[in-house]
Amino acid sequence: MAEPIVSEITVEALPAEAFARFVGDMGRWWPMAYSRGGARFATVHVEPVAGGSWFEVDRDGGESPWGDVRAYDPGHRLVVGFNVAPDRGVEPLERQSEVEFRFEPAGEGTRVTVEHRDLDRHGEGAEAIRQGMASDHGWPLILASFARELRFPRAAPLSAS
């Protein structure tokens, strides 16, 4: 079994605010390069309930699933399925890994930890996903994008309408 990928960053917001901004503003800070739509990427949504969906929306309103919401505990944790294959295609349910985001008090801020586990479920593509997401250009870059959004909020993304 492959070891989980763990990455963390400390942000200047309390856990409840950090969680709300992480989930609610994900379309503002998520790196476009880490979407299926690339330049057509408009936003990403997390339905705020276990059993919900995690998906991107392109500029034409088309939706592309990233996974299911497995746990939703506002201010504390979010667990999602990760159905992104190495070629950015959609993995079937039995081949999805799992990503947990935890929000823990750290002084006057919050430590945001991502744990990407069950990578072996991706089969032959597991090592490519592991190498990409464990590199400085994977989860560390994604978390840095979130921290940057907290410090320097950008304008809202264009509407998908």
Side-chain angles (χ1 to χ4, degrees), residues 33-145:
Y34 288 86
S35 69
R36 289 200 174 105
R40 295 175 18 93
F41 174 78
T43 193
V44 59
H45 292 287
V46 175
E47 294 177 337
V49 61
S53 296
W54 182 39
F55 60 97
E56 78 176 68
V57 179
D58 66 27
R59 296 198 184 278
D60 297 325
E63 296 180 0
S64 181
W66 288 2
D68 58 323
V69 176
R70 298 176 179 183
Y72 189 87
D73 185 7
H76 303 284
R77 71 191 274 261
L78 169 68
V79 181
V80 294
F82 187 83
N83 76 7
V84 182
D87 65 358
R88 294 193 188 193
V90 177
E91 293 278 33
L93 182 62
E94 68 274 6
R95 292 178 56 101
Q96 293 181 24
S97 53
E98 184 171 85
V99 181
E100 179 176 7
F101 302 98
R102 292 186 301 274
F103 299 80
E104 302 167 308
E108 294 183 21
T110 300
R111 181 176 44 258
V112 181
T113 304
V114 59
E115 180 179 325
H116 192 162
R117 55 189 175 239
D118 301 328
L119 291 153
D120 292 338
R121 295 185 79 191
H122 289 281
E124 291 179 17
E127 189 54 31
I129 291 172
R130 169 174 254 304
Q131 287 179 6
M133 299 311 288
S135 78
D136 289 343
H137 300 285
W139 288 116
L141 181 137
I142 292 168
L143 289 177
S145 293

